[in-house]
Amino acid sequence: MLSTRKLKRQVVVLSPRVLFSLLSDSGHETTRVSRCRMLVSWSSRPVNEFLESSLTNLNGPTVVVGIQGGFNHQSHSFSTLAGTILVQARDPAKLCMEIENAIDEHRFNDAWKLFEQHLHMDGFPRKSIVNKLLTSYSASLDVPWLEKAYGLVEQAIEESKQNLLEKEPLIYLSFVLAKCGLPVPASTVLRKLIQMEQYPPVTAWSAILAHMSLTAPGAYLAAELILEIGYLFQDGRVDPRKKINAPLIAMKPNTIAMNIALTGCLLFGTTRKAEQLLDMMPRIGIRADTNLLIIMAHIYERNGRREELRKLQRHIDDSQSLTDTQFRQFYNCLLTCHLKFGDLDAASNMVLIMLRKAREARNSFATAALLFPIDKKSSPGPVSEKSLSHKESGGLGNNRSNKDLTISYEEFYRDRNFLKLDTEAKEVLSTLLVELQMQVELITTERGILQPTEKIYVKLVKAFLESGKTKELAAFLIKAEKEDSPASNDDSALVHVINSCISLGWLDQAHDLLDEMCLAGIRTSSSVYASLLKAYCKANRTGEVTALLRDARRAGIQLDSSSYNALIEFRVIQKDTKEALHIFKEMKEAKIPRTGHQEFEMLVKGCAEGGEAGLMAKLLQEIKEEQAADSGVHDWNNVIHFFCKKRLMQDAEKALKKMRSLGHAPNAQTFHSMVTGYAAIGGKYIEVTELWGEMKSIASATSMKFDQELLDSVLYTFVRGGFFSRANEVVDMMEKGKMFIDKYKYRTLYLKYHKTLYKGKTPKIQTESLVKKREAALTFKKWLGLN
């Protein structure tokens, strides 16, 4: 017998089944106590003393069973050789009632504590309690409770208790998570629903997608979700005639969901991911509406797909349902694409056509106004970008708070077709489209007529000057002035460009433009000649000063006093006193006022002080801030993209080699096409590794940075092929650049292809390379959270 003095007091938690077995094996008569949790206490004290000190600390009813040579059902204490046993019973049914009451009374802290007690005592509570807990925490819109609800879902799935989770509460939880700015858990819940074959209808998940697309990580995840869901429907894999497929068919992406995902990609710069969605559209049978046509134009412009834009132009011109705003966006995209490719003829022709049509429309409007007088108060004026931003929801920043727009779970559950979520998805899409529309800078509309803005003049002038096409620039500006007559010659675009060239020190270009003006018979004021003359004097260019003076006299231009002063000072510095005296006499005879013209000086001063100086200020800023783009890169990127899309990788490699030999440096888009091309073929991991080595050397030697889309495609290829050392390098680069990484996608990929990798014991004998491979794989696995 053990000495009772050596026994320490212990509390042992036993299940009813274990205690029943223990008592039966001891030869005692026993009675089965069902659905009870038993707390067994061993003590050397008598039972009555133990009860006095312990019963006050018990939350539930206590049953004390006595065993003394036999079993007495009416006894409340028993003694064993080792001490005393005290059994505490907790009824799970009663605990469930307490959880439910706490939820109804919005005592979420108490509900969670009781839920944890139930988990510890008897596992998960019944299905109705779990789902009520989910919906209540979701409806709170409180991030800590939303995280608790999400953690509950994850735990249930990990413990294979997903049968406790109902579809509607999970959809509601995902919707609220997305609405509260938590796109990662929102997308994970959606993915779990699909994995459980509890397919959410597109009217429901498109609203989740819409709120996710308001953030950069969410927009990226939205595109990934469309690709994952769309894959299920590619090439007619699902037969819509079978009734069993009805829930799956209801989940199929529609035009609204596609518009939301594509617009989110455009707003946050993941346009190559957006192009993957466009490639998938015909394979799942999505038809384009007018919004989708314009979104496609934006994507093609960002990715430099000029031929695709030209094909799209036929549909745009034939469409009868496009609004003025949509026309403006499309032609802004086309004009921007012409500039990207350095096609100045096409771009300038577009501007001239717009000016001509605007002039004809003005003349028609003036004629109509004479015949039918229009009330000026009721006639709409030109729509400005600022007025537009105030009229149409004000972009992403002016949304009402989440609590004002919350749908309660009861209301959500009654809407069996998710019509309210569908409406909300359309409202968010409208907000995203307005935000996209505000990025249009080159074209505006007035009474439905497209007109170029100053921004396009600035970009065209810069492109003409950089390419040395001064004569073509002058011809374009002269034609533009004939179509869009300025208030005066001094306010014309050509004069502003000449003044800008003078300010930048491009005196030869300024003189060439001035000569072209004279040849075209356009008379300009003395301020332009004066500005150029003083610049020549300052630069000590005697020949040009003499030639410009001769041209000014021939054109009948009278110079101002500041010009004469500059000339006199210039001649004195040259020690040509005779010519200086001659200029002084000429100035005196012409009776030039001493104040003179100072328009140019005021203009330059306004530019320097950041004042609004119109076209000249914008041109100066554009030239100083933006670097010259290599238009040839876009041509070669299109060639390489075509070969990669057709999986002709040998031709793509030749094109890349030729591109480099011609002096065009490949960029992120070039590498992305190559990586996705190799990935589409499969097994080309060595080639991708070589590209990765080249990318790292470029990143270390130049200022070029690689974006999220490129690095994500490289990472996917390395994980798929099991190149975990390289994968860790990509992860490091992405984390240093603070780029979002979809861990769920890589966790799924790892478990699909490498689930059993390095699971056994470490071999006693292995090479150094094998050790490094093992360490790299385990490091990546740890990063995924799969330890």
Side-chain angles (χ1 to χ4, degrees), residues 562-712:
S562 62
S563 301
Y564 278 109
N565 290 335
L567 282 169
I568 293 168
E569 186 178 347
F570 174 69
R571 293 300 180 186
V572 169
I573 292 171
Q574 295 287 327
K575 298 182 180 180
D576 190 353
T577 53
K578 185 178 179 181
E579 185 63 25
L581 287 170
H582 175 73
I583 293 169
F584 179 75
K585 288 179 182 178
E586 183 182 328
M587 175 183 171
K588 204 168 185 181
E589 289 171 1
K591 298 180 180 179
I592 303 298
R594 304 190 81 177
T595 54
H597 302 288
Q598 297 184 6
E599 294 92 340
F600 180 72
E601 286 80 356
M602 291 174 66
L603 197 59
V604 173
K605 186 179 179 183
C607 293
E609 293 175 354
E612 185 60 39
L615 182 65
M616 178 181 171
K618 292 176 182 177
L619 179 59
L620 292 174
Q621 185 178 0
E622 179 86 12
I623 291 171
K624 289 175 181 177
E625 289 183 357
E626 293 196 11
Q627 296 179 350
D630 185 359
S631 58
V633 171
H634 296 292
D635 287 312
W636 282 105
N637 277 347
N638 277 331
V639 172
I640 292 169
H641 176 73
F642 172 80
F643 287 136
C644 293
K645 199 172 179 180
K646 298 294 182 182
R647 302 188 181 184
L648 303 171
M649 295 311 296
Q650 288 185 348
D651 294 320
E653 289 166 0
K654 290 177 184 176
L656 181 58
K657 188 176 180 180
K658 183 70 174 175
M659 178 184 181
R660 289 196 186 101
S661 67
L662 293 173
H664 302 296
N667 57 14
Q669 188 171 347
T670 319
F671 288 116
H672 184 269
S673 296
M674 295 295 295
V675 172
T676 51
Y678 285 132
I681 294 174
K684 297 288 185 178
Y685 305 117
I686 302 299
E687 289 81 353
V688 176
T689 305
E690 290 173 357
L691 281 176
W692 172 240
E694 184 180 348
M695 287 166 58
K696 287 193 294 183
S697 62
I698 290 174
S700 61
T702 66
S703 60
M704 186 171 75
K705 293 182 180 180
F706 300 109
D707 56 33
Q708 176 190 2
E709 293 174 286
L710 170 60
L711 294 178
D712 186 71

Side-chain angles (χ1 to χ4, degrees), residues 517-529:
M517 280 186 74
C518 294
L519 289 173
I522 300 173
R523 182 178 176 82
T524 186
S525 66
S526 62
S527 61
V528 178
Y529 283 92

Side-chain angles (χ1 to χ4, degrees), residues 43-62:
S43 175
S44 58
R45 294 180 294 165
V47 174
N48 57 346
E49 293 180 14
F50 183 82
L51 286 174
E52 288 176 6
S53 62
S54 302
L55 283 177
T56 54
N57 297 324
L58 296 177
N59 294 324
T62 304

